[in-house]
């Protein structure tokens, strides 16, 4: 007879799964988008305040009618896309170097480490960000690779020689079960 192993009491140190990593990534993207919008609004306000109304209008407000050229539209979108990519790269690299995790990863209890357990240095952090773009350009296959890899590594992790692990004790489930048991006992009494 085969005996099932008991589940671990904590996931600390185990490789993080696809859903947890995806939610952390989405949180980070939202944070970067909010930061970028805030920077654009502050820039617009500063340009208006210092009397650069025409420059602010040219940069931030599309002109009416047929005066909007395709070049201006493409330029605005390119600046926004490149700017957000650059902002995301700076944010992620600096957070990984400072505390081994981004804010989204911290909220979900994740940590990014080298495969030998050491913290990231500048080289692997930059390779990991460049790997994000490789994974993105390959129609997200590099991100989906987490689903089939034994160590839950995406292409960006393989390129940078990194892993993402659970960092803190996940005890919310136990607390919820205990609370529900107390509620049930109170109703029975």
């Amino acid at each position: 007879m085969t005996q099932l192993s008991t589940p671990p009491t904590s996931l600390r140190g185990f490789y993080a799964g696809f859903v947890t990593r995806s939610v952390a990534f989405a949180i980070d993207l939202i944070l970067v988008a909010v930061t970028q919008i805030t920077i654009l609004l502050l820039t617009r306000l500063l340009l208006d305040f210092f009397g650069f109304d025409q420059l602010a209008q040219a940069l931030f407000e599309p002109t009416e009618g047929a005066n909007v050229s395709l070049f201006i539209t493409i330029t605005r979108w390119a600046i926004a896309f490149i700017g957000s990519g650059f902002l995301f790269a700076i944010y992620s690299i600096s957070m990984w170097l400072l505390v081994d995790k981004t804010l989204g990863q911290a909220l979900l209890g994740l940590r990014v480490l080298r495969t030998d357990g050491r913290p990231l240095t500048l080289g692997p952090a930059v390779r990991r960000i460049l790997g994000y773009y490789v994974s993105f350009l390959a129609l997200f296959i590099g991100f989906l690779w987490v689903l089939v890899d034994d160590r839950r590594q995406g292409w960006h992790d393989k390129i940078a020689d990194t892993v993402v692990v659970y960092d803190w004790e996940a005890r919310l489930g136990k607390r919820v079960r205990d609370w529900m048991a107390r509620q049930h006992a109170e109703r029975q009494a």
Side-chain angles (χ1 to χ4, degrees):
M1 174 187 273
T2 305
Q3 183 180 8
L4 296 175
S5 63
T6 58
T9 58
S10 170
L11 292 177
R12 186 177 202 149
F14 283 81
Y15 299 123
F18 178 76
V19 173
T20 309
R21 292 175 64 163
S22 298
V23 171
F25 188 75
I27 290 169
D28 290 330
L29 286 178
I30 291 169
L31 287 172
V32 168
V34 167
T35 302
Q36 186 175 17
I37 290 168
T38 303
I39 290 170
L40 289 174
L41 288 174
L42 288 174
T43 303
R44 171 63 193 258
L45 289 173
L46 286 172
L47 287 173
D48 283 344
F49 180 77
F50 288 110
F52 295 107
D53 299 336
Q54 290 179 347
L55 179 60
Q57 197 171 27
L59 289 174
F60 295 103
E61 294 178 13
T63 55
E64 294 183 23
N67 292 338
V68 178
S69 71
L70 182 61
F71 176 74
I72 290 173
T73 304
I74 291 173
T75 303
R76 285 181 182 156
W77 279 103
I79 289 171
F81 185 73
I82 292 169
S84 61
F86 184 72
L87 187 62
F88 183 77
I90 295 298
Y91 160 74
S92 296
I93 290 171
S94 60
M95 293 301 289
W96 290 331
L97 293 178
L98 291 172
V99 292
D100 299 330
K101 56 189 122 187
T102 62
L103 292 174
Q105 291 166 339
L107 286 172
L108 293 170
L110 305 177
R111 180 179 295 272
V112 180
L113 299 169
R114 308 271 311 265
T115 54
D116 60 5
R118 291 183 295 148
L120 266 67
T121 56
L122 184 60
V126 170
R127 285 195 303 274
R128 192 165 199 275
I129 279 293
L130 294 175
Y132 273 175
Y133 296 111
V134 170
S135 296
F136 172 76
L137 292 174
L139 304 175
F140 302 99
I141 294 172
F143 295 117
L144 294 173
W145 200 259
V146 171
L147 293 169
V148 297
D149 189 81
D150 289 338
R151 295 193 298 177
R152 303 290 181 237
Q153 289 180 298
W155 289 357
H156 49 285
D157 292 310
K158 295 205 178 280
I159 290 170
D161 194 33
T162 59
V163 291
V164 179
V165 296
Y166 290 105
D167 188 35
W168 42 265
E169 305 288 331
R171 296 180 186 255
L172 180 62
K174 182 182 181 326
R175 290 181 184 147
V176 170
R177 284 191 307 274
D178 290 345
W179 177 80
M180 288 175 66
R182 282 192 308 269
Q183 295 299 317
H184 181 70
E186 288 175 6
R187 277 188 238 135
Q188 296 298 324

